[in-house]
Amino acid sequence: MENKERILKLLEEDATLTTSQIAVMLDAEEEEVKSAIKQYEKEGVINGYRALINWDKTPVAKASALIELRVTPQRNTGFDEIAARVMGFPEVESVYLMSGGYDLAVMVSAKTMQEVALFVAKRLAPIEGILSTATHFVLSRYKDGGVVYDTEYEEIDERGSNLID
């Protein structure tokens, strides 16, 4: 089925689409779409479905941060062992192996910036093999997961100047 990549793109844009809706959009049979999705889930191509929440529009207190980790790779496992330990914390949302000035990028969230700071100081930094950390707090989200958040800022044209009504 040549529509398999298109199925993935549609689901990436909107995971709430039904197999029936996708089939209509692709002019395909619903059973083909169901079969392709099941195969992708089985192969680990599709790893889950989730909603992107704009927590700033809720009464829920939430602070997020990107933490850069410089680590010493472990014998026989490289970065995998440390990444696995870091992933085990409930505050950790994402872990990425990076190229450049640091080794792991870790996205974390907690109720407050102080909780994030305590997590880094008391639980993350002491892990054997972690050489240093640098914490960057997320102040505002403009776009996340390909979704543009509803923000209150003026539209800017391609040259970078404010548009005038």
Side-chain angles (χ1 to χ4, degrees), residues 57-76:
K57 293 193 172 232
T58 72
V60 177
K62 188 169 182 177
S64 297
L66 170 77
I67 303 165
E68 300 173 1
L69 299 181
R70 286 188 49 242
V71 303
T72 302
Q74 304 299 297
R75 178 173 293 232
N76 300 322

Side-chain angles (χ1 to χ4, degrees), residues 64-67 91-96 105-109 136 138 141:
S64 297
L66 170 77
I67 303 165
E91 296 88 348
V92 173
E93 294 180 352
S94 305
V95 178
Y96 305 99
V106 181
M107 286 298 300
V108 301
S109 67
H136 308 275
V138 175
R141 292 178 199 265

Side-chain angles (χ1 to χ4, degrees), residues 86-160:
V86 171
M87 289 186 310
F89 293 112
E91 296 88 348
V92 173
E93 294 180 352
S94 305
V95 178
Y96 305 99
L97 179 62
M98 305 297 290
S99 65
Y102 57 97
D103 304 304
L104 297 176
V106 181
M107 286 298 300
V108 301
S109 67
K111 289 182 181 175
T112 66
M113 288 183 181
Q114 183 179 10
E115 282 185 14
V116 171
L118 285 172
F119 165 73
V120 173
K122 302 266 186 204
R123 299 176 74 198
L124 195 58
I127 294 175
E128 187 176 333
I130 293 183
L131 301 173
S132 68
T133 66
T135 303
H136 308 275
F137 287 100
V138 175
L139 303 178
S140 184
R141 292 178 199 265
Y142 297 108
K143 186 174 183 179
D144 191 7
V147 175
V148 176
Y149 278 48
D150 181 25
T151 57
E152 296 178 15
Y153 59 91
E154 291 185 48
E155 193 172 335
I156 297 177
D157 75 9
E158 295 166 359
R159 298 170 302 232

Side-chain angles (χ1 to χ4, degrees), residues 34-46:
K34 279 183 185 176
S35 174
I37 291 171
K38 279 186 181 179
Q39 187 66 29
Y40 279 137
E41 290 171 343
K42 181 179 175 186
E43 293 171 352
V45 173
I46 296 175

